[in-house]
Amino acid sequence: MAYLAQILLLLAAAITVVVFFQRLHIPTSLGYLLVGVVLGPHTVGPVVSMPELEKLAEFGVVFLLFTIGLDFSLPQMQALRRRVLALGTGQVVFTTVMVGIVLWLAGFEVAAAFVFGAAFAQSSTTVIASLLAELREEDSRHGRLGLAMSVFQDVTAVPFLVAIPALGMSAAANSLAETLGLALAKAALAFAVVLFGGRWLLRPLFRLVAERRSVEVFTLAVLLVALLAAWVTNELGLSLAFGGFLAGLTLGETEFRHQVESSIGPFRDVLLGVFFVGIGMRFDPAAIAAIWQWAALGALLIVTSKTLIVPIIMRKVEADPRVRWRTGMMLSVGGEFGLALIAVALDSSVIDLQLGQLAITSVLLSMIVGAVLIWFNDPISARLAATAHAGRDAGAQLQAAPQRQVVIGGYGRVGRTIATLLHSCGISFVAFDTDPKRVTQGRLDRHPVWLGDIADPRLLSSIHLGRASLVVIAVDDSDTAFAAMSYIERTCPQVPVVARARDLETSTRLLAAGAAQAYPETIESSLRLGTAALQMLDVAEQRIDEVVRGIRDWGYRPVLEKEKRDD
């Protein structure tokens, strides 16, 4: 019962703080950190102490890496290799080396300097994305480059998850090169087992599971695959999170990717929140008095190193100096993954608790300073680029926005026809269906069809529905259509919706719910037949168009009134 009281206290505190932070548009990860500090052993008040909670929190990073693997499948990484891959890798490598050398010269041990460099190289995708949205710069050139490089940083954290525990082992064995070599060999073996083995097994498995049309079974299958891959890498002496990344990388190449991400989302978010609560519990506010000068220098090192390095490595791919400086400021903020790497280093005894406090405080301070730089990136970049014009970067804003596409819900008779028409006109689209056989048919048609429910809010959120140019709801089930329409109207009413309707009643309800168009199939098929009949009777095309348009413009009332009179 004591555990239950602690769990209730933790949940109540988390809900209160996170809701408050969301209303202030502050990243929720910082809210969870604050909950950990308040309920930790280093502050006055109630203390939540459950060893099992720390073990459970590890799976938050596992599922986070799993979803990152979904977003960075091998074909996608290959497509990004020339720009984002090169820039992201260069930024992380140069920042890690620069910070590591500075700290090594300052007297840090090599392993500790490496950990600080790796942690300081990370940036917060959450902070960057939220601030870009508030500044309405998410479609600017510097915004897209900064966000893409930040997301790629999460991928580069995977090698660090392999190397940092190896550093802890080598500290005792005094054989750094041998331990790192063995860790890399194990990583290659895990990569082969999970990735290539998964290619043969996972697609048939998920096709079989998807045919059951059971959300519970599908979610259980996702959990099984993610945790099984984590177990494999753990048995090889590597981190659990590395296995989760490999599993996500494998599933990211399949047609089930979006539905998998939707299913794992709630587990990832909750467990990741628990993970950040655990980090907050390690933070001792009383220790700040003794280390605040060093923490401030650490935050300054994080911000300045990335602000200077990013513009330098971007010189060959970006001519505009203001875009380079603005991108550098985008990435100057510290990141949640840096905190995760610090936690791994503490657990592996690579750094002691005092250095851990210093690293955590430095990252948290850099989040605040970096957020200020991002908010004022325009005037600051104007001064750094030595330009007299301090207004908005029109050149960056006029760059082509990411290609917008049509989202089709349902790939049955109607959805497949619409997809074919869009494909013939060269219009980009993505389609979803809950029937794996239809998804397979879409793949055979060479159309981008994925397994997923168009009424699933998590799915629609994961595909960034607000960026779509049009949504076509082509599902046969009216309840699903209304659920999807309700979510779209509530979250992104600017996106127009064309919906399928079987009859006039359904059409009227969908139009009232916010659909731009919802033609009733029963009446429309009759109108098509009537049009063909009038054409065969040599009625003028203009007269036919006037009659049909009149029936549609009047909400099909002429047809319905005639039906009522006949009845």
Side-chain angles (χ1 to χ4, degrees), residues 367-419:
M367 285 183 171
I368 300 172
V369 177
V372 173
L373 280 181
I374 294 175
W375 190 264
F376 296 102
N377 74 85
D378 186 23
I380 295 174
S381 66
R383 289 182 176 274
L384 291 174
T387 58
H389 178 58
R392 286 283 174 195
D393 187 0
Q397 297 291 347
L398 291 176
Q399 295 290 333
Q403 185 181 17
R404 301 175 69 176
Q405 63 181 358
V406 177
V407 176
I408 303 174
Y411 195 76
R413 170 177 52 85
V414 177
R416 187 180 181 187
T417 301
I418 295 171

Side-chain angles (χ1 to χ4, degrees), residues 118-295:
F120 286 8
Q122 306 300 312
S123 302
S124 174
T125 304
T126 306
V127 172
I128 293 173
S130 61
L131 287 175
L132 283 174
E134 288 188 40
L135 294 169
R136 296 186 178 180
E137 295 179 354
E138 59 265 46
D139 288 338
S140 65
R141 185 167 181 79
H142 65 274
R144 296 198 306 272
L145 283 171
L147 194 58
M149 291 173 66
S150 176
V151 171
F152 181 75
Q153 286 177 354
D154 299 340
V155 179
T156 64
V158 174
F160 293 136
L161 290 173
V162 175
I164 290 176
L167 291 176
M169 296 169 57
S170 65
N174 199 24
S175 55
L176 178 59
E178 179 181 348
T179 307
L180 281 176
L182 181 60
L184 291 175
K186 290 179 178 180
L189 177 60
F191 186 89
V193 171
V194 175
L195 199 61
F196 295 106
R199 283 185 173 182
W200 291 97
L201 298 175
L202 291 186
R203 195 185 295 268
L205 169 65
F206 277 90
R207 191 168 292 161
L208 178 65
V209 170
E211 289 176 353
R212 305 305 305 166
R213 304 287 189 90
S214 172
V215 177
E216 293 85 356
V217 175
F218 192 92
T219 303
L220 288 173
V222 174
L223 291 173
L224 172 65
V225 170
L227 296 179
L228 181 61
W231 176 80
V232 169
T233 55
N234 187 62
E235 288 297 303
L236 291 173
L238 303 171
S239 68
L240 293 169
F242 183 55
F245 175 76
L246 293 180
L249 204 65
T250 306
L251 284 173
E253 300 181 37
T254 70
E255 62 268 30
F256 309 105
R257 178 170 71 88
H258 291 291
Q259 189 61 40
V260 168
E261 184 175 1
S262 173
S263 300
I264 206 69
F267 297 94
R268 176 201 61 202
D269 296 340
V270 172
L271 293 176
L272 198 58
V274 174
F275 172 77
F276 285 120
V277 169
I279 291 180
M281 288 180 174
R282 302 182 187 212
F283 183 70
D284 184 4
I288 296 179
I291 63 171
W292 72 266
Q293 303 97 326
W294 297 107

